[in-house]
Amino acid sequence: MDPITALIASSKIKVGLWGKDFFTFLTTNFEWFFDAIANGLTYVLQGLINILLWMPPVVVVLAIAALAWGLQRSWKLAVGVALGLAFIINQGLWKETVETLVLVVGAAAASMAIGVPVGIWAAHSERGYRYLQPILDLMQTMPTFVYLIPVLILFGLGIAPGLIVTIVFACPAPIRLTYLGITSVPKPMIEAGEAFGANKRQLLWKVELPAALPTIMAGLTQCIMLSLSMVVIAALIGANGLGKPVVRALNTVNIPLGLEAGLAIVILAIILDRMSRVSTGGPQ
């Protein structure tokens, strides 16, 4: 090792130890706070899962198919949704699918609730977006297994930390796409609204959001796909669902189980993708 490299390596910045001390401080002084969040999220999510599992699977399938038809006005989509979910029931993965569905829909809804307002704010604050950009880059590029560790330390095992880590992973997509949609609104449209005497709030609701809606809806689709990609990862910290049989199949080299669970995830992804294409076009 050359002297300069040796000198740089000898003065190691103790980022890992500082991080450990920080999380130790949080768990020591605010354990009650993180436990309250975890318990509250678990209560809500598990309650929704129990309600869906209490209902006959056929009723839930028909309700989802009817919702698909109502959103897209496509009987082909409704039939496809019913057949896809019937296949999942046939494979004995209905319980895991319900758990995954609640987790994904909850994470996507929370990510959109956070991402759309933040994206709107960033689009109207150039300085704010400059500060926000490195945080979004960190959230998108940080390996998921790395931030599983602090989430696990703070919130423990279960579906609640699975939801939180999924939100962290999926949230940058709606923020960036909302920002892109708002900033891409043609200036003549903004000027026309101002010429008619619209204030900033009216411009946002009457001009910017309608024009940016297709891009925002693309953010919703991205959110759902990213949330589904976290299903297997979340299973490693105690979140039940379709990720659990995948992990079990991987550990035991159980090819049939892995294929069945993988197909179920793909079917669920296609169903949610097609159903979420509201306001971006006509029937699919």
Side-chain angles (χ1 to χ4, degrees):
M1 186 182 294
D2 62 272
I4 297 178
T5 305
L7 177 62
I8 295 173
S10 65
S11 305
K12 179 180 178 181
I13 301 174
K14 300 179 180 179
V15 176
L17 290 177
W18 295 343
K20 179 183 177 182
D21 292 340
F22 174 69
F23 285 108
T24 300
F25 169 78
L26 289 179
T27 53
T28 302
N29 296 279
F30 299 101
E31 184 178 6
W32 58 272
F33 175 72
F34 295 109
D35 285 347
I37 293 176
N39 293 334
L41 290 175
T42 301
Y43 178 79
V44 173
L45 294 173
Q46 197 59 52
L48 291 173
I49 291 170
N50 291 338
I51 290 173
L52 290 176
L53 291 177
W54 171 77
M55 299 171 65
V58 175
V59 173
V60 178
V61 169
L62 292 176
I64 296 174
L67 179 61
W69 183 86
L71 291 173
Q72 299 294 345
R73 288 296 189 270
S74 170
W75 66 267
K76 293 180 181 178
L77 176 61
V79 171
V81 167
L83 291 176
L85 294 176
F87 173 79
I88 289 174
I89 295 172
N90 174 262
Q91 297 299 302
L93 293 169
W94 178 248
K95 180 176 181 292
E96 291 82 0
T97 299
V98 168
E99 292 167 341
T100 295
L101 181 64
V102 169
L103 178 62
V104 169
V105 172
S111 297
M112 291 297 289
I114 297 169
V116 173
V118 172
I120 292 171
W121 168 77
H124 291 94
S125 173
E126 187 176 344
R127 178 181 296 180
Y129 186 67
R130 283 203 304 269
Y131 292 135
L132 186 64
Q133 208 165 7
I135 298 173
L136 297 177
D137 292 339
L138 178 68
M139 292 168 68
Q140 289 186 301
T141 57
M142 179 76 74
T144 52
F145 287 101
V146 174
Y147 56 74
L148 280 182
I149 300 169
V151 169
L152 186 61
I153 292 172
L154 295 176
F155 298 99
L157 292 168
I159 193 172
L163 176 72
I164 291 168
V165 77
T166 304
I167 292 172
V168 172
F169 184 68
C171 207
I175 294 176
R176 288 189 188 277
L177 285 168
T178 301
Y179 169 84
L180 177 63
I182 297 293
T183 54
S184 298
V185 176
K187 287 186 178 180
M189 291 182 65
I190 304 293
E191 292 170 354
E194 292 173 342
F196 281 101
N199 56 34
K200 289 185 177 180
R201 177 174 295 181
Q202 290 170 330
L203 281 174
L204 175 64
W205 288 100
K206 303 286 187 180
V207 179
E208 293 177 334
L209 284 179
L213 189 58
T215 308
I216 294 173
M217 294 304 295
L220 173 60
T221 301
Q222 288 293 314
C223 221
I224 292 171
M225 296 302 107
L226 290 170
S227 298
L228 272 168
S229 71
M230 283 295 294
V231 166
V232 177
I233 307 287
L236 298 175
I237 55 174
N240 294 326
L242 291 169
K244 208 165 186 178
V246 172
V247 173
R248 191 163 65 246
L250 182 64
N251 291 334
T252 60
V253 198
N254 189 333
I255 296 176
L257 179 61
L259 287 174
E260 292 163 5
L263 280 174
I265 293 174
V266 170
I267 290 170
L268 191 59
I270 293 172
I271 289 172
L272 292 174
D273 174 63
R274 298 299 185 270
M275 289 179 63
S276 66
R277 294 184 182 182
V278 187
S279 304
T280 60
Q284 304 297 318

